[in-house]
DNA sequence: CCCTATTAGTTCACAGAATTTACTAACCGA
DNA sequence: TCGGTTAGTAAATTCTGTGAACTAATAGGG
């Protein structure tokens, strides 16, 4: 099993079938309510092919037929939707502050969730704890009533490109952990697709895959929490997440934006993380690891020094957005992560900086929309669940 | 005709055939001398399929059979190579300092070239001039003896993602130029694939496509000339060049690396281009547009101020490499563009900065190789030629 | 020298996928 | 009620890659 989906190298008829199945499925995902005829138009497949594929997908519990809707004269088409009743996926995030779990259906709707605020200690006991919670989650009625496609885990650090292994999680002190292997020792977990991904990549994937509204062609998701990470997703029918040579794509927290700035724990000076990140703000505010950053900032919101600190952080975040825009040029930027709890005092200056420093590289310069996810508690967990679905859909 | 190749959305049998043809072709390109059996092993196709595809490609002038080479016992395999004798591609770069043209064969070998140092004025007369030179190039014996697959043009600015149109070339003063349409009015140009691309993307593509040695999985090519651009390429059989929502991927010259730095012509402060770029150095050295930057720097190499200037520029370039590494994490970085003429005084500090500021994100941190292209006169022109070949190979 | 083992490449009947064409189904308006 | 129009299905057809059997070419051993 390849650890990350790679586009086809060479194809047999089997692959062709799988490709078309995925294409039809994603067309319905991106345009809920389309008819078979619509799909044929959009994808270039013939009506006959679409008919056959849809039949198989309906039978397999991936699609359901909806109401008829007439469009002008002629026989009305039968609308198609993802079937939210038959399958589900489990997603879990191992975060610095605790474990977060969701189960969701093919529509990305959360069927059940669980937030366990105890910070992880060592990998082994964390795996045991996570397995218990997953088993409990699976026993929820909404979950147990559905077939489970598999299980995904999001981790706060880069995942190796060679194997599904967490290379390094500085904030957990974990190195080269094969977390899925630890989980596999626990009983009661679902069979199917298992995968491990970086938290920012997972969140980015989920926001892209389950996007509500007109789907963007590509997004960059900035995860601002203890550290700063970023995930990039693009692609119509097969969303692609570039991971890079060592899985370091999106480690923008360590891009240097102030060469003579203060020292970062990575050894360099002026990394973005020294200006905007949970750890930098905590350090500046002299908080211990127990205290909540959000509460502390709220309590001291009137202090000019604190306000200036948050404002500087916001501007740095805006600068990161700008640099990302000029490097990756996504059609949408999404801001998420626990730092978003700081709200307008942080995001205001960020958006201000971003919009006021747009330059004239393209005259029209239709500004790139920036979406802010205020409550991102389950974003990453739902994101890996989305990845499980996407992977499972490839080899139905 | 789609303006940029997009991976398959849905597939018919035709597409499948085309996919396998391209796969075989690129396998030979990346591993010259493979046998049919090798290809079958590498691609997963069966011997029968490979046999058929190879036969077609040999007949079409894309592949040629080489010598036998035995490997242990058994019948020796017949080695396969790209056929450099039957086809050729034309590539041209419209640069700030003049026109550069090449004709090359499927192996990326330059059959003929032409460097016209007169700076372009308006689009119309430039198209006329370029067409004359292209016709002359095509009359060279090595070129006229081959079938011409098509023609590519590289331009110093972003190309629209909607149509093959140059959106903006600040250094030429051109806006929204449909250069291919202007060329199409001229007689004597080859039929086939025509395309337009950004200079940095084209160069990046060429370096990746015609890479000598073990092919890297992905590269980022930094084009340091009048401005700073960057192209990214990855993918095995179908090299993919992300272009972004507005074709601005790789506009790293306008990433901000010194928020309080000096003002850039784009309106912002502290863009990378204010530290490393032809225009910034010329401005700092008070050169008029006629003078050669290389000559001027060589002449004043002893002045401490000049040395410091170049060193600072080199360090900024190194910082750009580092930020690119953390954002895109390519498996190889390539430095090119006219600024490379400045040689060690520029590249030394750049490499120093890059290697000495590697951080510990991955313990092993096998350093990413940086390749420097000292003479990049025809890099971009050859790059678009490579794109013509790649595009033509898709629908043989 | 011949014979066997081994690997390379081709041939041909076959299975499977999408297509083509023709058809039925369902709705609208006159 | 009857054309006109669009949606969806069914059967014959075309084209693809596959698998197994075949031929080809070499090395090594007796």
């Amino acid at each position: 099993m390849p650890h990350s989906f790679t586009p086809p190298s060479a194809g047999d008829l089997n692959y062709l079938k799988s490709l078309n199945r995925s294409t039809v499925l994603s067309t319905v995902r991106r345009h809920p309510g389309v008819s078979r005829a619509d799909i044929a138009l959009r994808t270039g497949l013939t009506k006959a092919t679409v008919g056959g594929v849809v039949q198989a997908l309906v039978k397999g519990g991936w699609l359901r037929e909806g109401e008829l809707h007439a469009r002008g004269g002629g026989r009305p088409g039968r609308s198609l939707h993802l079937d939210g009743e038959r399958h589900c996926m489990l997603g879990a995030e191992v975060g610095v502050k605790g474990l977060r779990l969701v189960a969701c259906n093919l529509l990305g709707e959360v069927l059940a969730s669980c937030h366990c605020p105890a910070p992880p200690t060592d990998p082994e006991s964390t795996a045991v704890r996570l397995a218990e919670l997953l088993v409990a989650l699976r026993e929820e009625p909404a979950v147990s009533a559905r077939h489970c496609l598999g299980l995904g885990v999001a981790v706060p650090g880069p995942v190796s490109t060679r194997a599904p292994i967490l290379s390094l999680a500085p904030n957990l002190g974990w190195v080269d952990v094969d977390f899925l292997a630890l989980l596999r020792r626990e009983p009661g977990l679902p069979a199917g697709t298992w995968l491990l991904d970086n938290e920012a990549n997972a969140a980015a994937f989920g926001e892209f895959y389950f996007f509500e509204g007109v789907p963007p062609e590509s997004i960059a998701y900035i995860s601002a929490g203890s550290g700063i990470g970023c995930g990039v997703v693009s692609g119509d029918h097969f969303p692609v997440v570039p991971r890079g040579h060592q899985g370091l794509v999106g480690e923008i927290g360590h891009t240097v934006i102030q060469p003579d700035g203060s020292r970062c724990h990575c050894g360099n000076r002026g990394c973005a993380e020294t200006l905007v990140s949970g750890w930098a703000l905590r350090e500046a505010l002299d908080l211990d690891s127990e205290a909540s950053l959000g509460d502390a900032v709220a309590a001291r919101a009137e202090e000019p020094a604190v306000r200036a600190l948050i404002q500087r952080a916001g501007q740095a975040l805006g600068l990161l957005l700008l640099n990302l825009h000029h490097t990756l040029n996504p059609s949408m930027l999404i801001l998420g992560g626990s730092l978003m709890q700081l709200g307008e005092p942080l995001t205001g200056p960020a958006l201000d900086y971003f919009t006021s420093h747009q330059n004239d590289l393209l005259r029209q310069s239709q500004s790139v929309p920036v979406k802010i996810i205020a409550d991102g508690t389950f974003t990453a967990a739902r994101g890996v669940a989305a990845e499980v679905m996407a992977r499972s859909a490839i080899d139905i």
Side-chain angles (χ1 to χ4, degrees), chain A:
Chain A
M1 179 191 72
H3 142 236
S4 68
F5 173 71
T6 44
S9 66
D12 55 3
L13 291 170
N14 233 328
Y15 159 71
L16 193 58
K17 180 124 195 177
S18 163
L19 174 71
N20 288 341
R21 228 171 6 213
S22 291
T23 303
V24 168
L25 196 59
S26 65
T27 304
V28 178
R29 172 173 54 82
R30 292 154 48 98
H31 306 283
V34 286
S35 67
R36 290 164 174 77
D38 290 333
I39 297 176
L41 257 176
R42 285 180 182 280
T43 61
L45 298 169
T46 59
K47 287 193 297 173
T49 307
V50 172
V53 171
V54 166
Q55 199 169 32
L57 288 173
V58 168
K59 193 175 166 194
W62 291 83
L63 296 183
R64 66 174 178 81
E65 294 193 320
E67 336 67 50
L68 301 174
H69 57 85
R71 230 193 347 243
R75 170 177 169 178
R78 190 155 243 114
S79 67
L80 295 165
H81 300 268
L82 289 181
D83 187 340
E85 305 301 319
R86 298 267 302 271
H87 299 296
C88 71
M89 304 83 70
L90 301 184
E93 177 185 8
V94 178
V96 181
K97 296 192 205 128
L99 304 176
R100 289 152 181 185
L101 296 79
V102 297
C104 57
N105 65 10
L106 300 190
L107 292 155
E109 294 164 348
V110 174
L111 304 170
S113 66
C114 163
H115 182 359
C116 164
T121 53
D122 60 308
E124 287 75 14
S125 56
T126 304
V128 173
R129 180 107 191 83
L130 181 60
E132 287 169 7
L133 294 170
L134 282 169
V135 169
L137 197 70
R138 243 193 129 185
E139 282 164 2
E140 296 273 333
V143 183
S144 62
R146 292 170 167 86
H147 168 246
C148 186
L149 293 172
L151 156 63
V153 180
V155 287
V159 168
S160 161
T161 46
R162 321 226 165 278
I165 290 176
L166 170 60
S167 304
L168 178 73
N171 295 317
L172 293 176
W174 295 5
V175 170
D176 283 333
V177 174
D178 188 348
F179 197 78
L180 293 185
L182 297 179
L183 268 187
R184 234 179 286 273
R185 303 195 303 210
E186 305 301 319
L189 296 179
T193 306
W194 282 40
L195 51 83
L196 187 79
D197 199 4
N198 172 273
E199 163 267 329
N201 284 337
F205 190 93
E207 290 306 303
F208 184 85
Y209 200 69
F210 288 139
F211 193 86
E212 292 186 31
V214 182
E217 29 180 272
S218 59
I219 66 159
Y221 172 94
I222 292 93
S223 165
S226 287
I228 301 277
C230 163
V232 189
V233 195
S234 64
D236 295 339
H237 299 292
F238 294 93
V240 173
V241 184
R243 290 156 198 285
H245 181 48
Q246 298 141 314
L248 295 183
V249 165
E251 285 295 336
I252 58 171
H254 298 284
T255 55
V256 178
I257 58 177
Q258 205 163 43
D260 48 353
S262 52
R263 193 164 285 285
C264 176
H265 58 64
C266 79
N268 289 338
R269 284 192 172 280
C271 294
E273 279 198 5
T274 62
L275 293 165
V276 254
S277 68
W279 71 258
L281 292 179
R282 300 178 96 84
E283 208 169 276
L285 292 170
D286 239 341
L287 298 181
D288 58 29
S289 59
E290 295 299 305
S292 154
L293 179 63
D295 293 351
V297 170
R300 298 166 60 181
E302 297 306 312
E303 296 179 28
V306 173
R307 296 173 71 158
L309 179 74
I310 304 298
Q311 191 187 4
R312 271 200 307 276
Q315 286 169 346
L317 192 55
L319 194 151
L320 268 184
L321 290 179
L322 204 61
N323 283 357
L324 219 43
H325 171 65
H326 282 140
T327 310
L328 299 170
N329 193 221
S331 64
M332 174 175 273
L333 288 159
I334 303 182
L335 275 174
S338 57
L339 231 52
M340 291 306 111
Q341 290 167 358
L342 299 184
E344 213 283 329
L346 182 78
T347 57
L351 294 180
D352 275 358
Y353 191 98
F354 179 64
T355 50
S356 67
H357 286 74
Q358 299 277 356
N359 65 23
D360 213 30
L361 272 183
L362 291 179
R363 289 165 315 135
Q364 73 276 20
S365 195
Q366 61 267 49
S367 63
V368 173
V370 180
K371 178 178 165 183
I372 295 176
I373 299 181
D375 178 16
T377 315
F378 295 109
T379 309
R382 200 177 73 133
V384 264
E387 292 195 78
V388 169
M389 170 174 166
R391 183 82 60 87
S392 305
I394 289 172
D395 30 43
I396 294 175

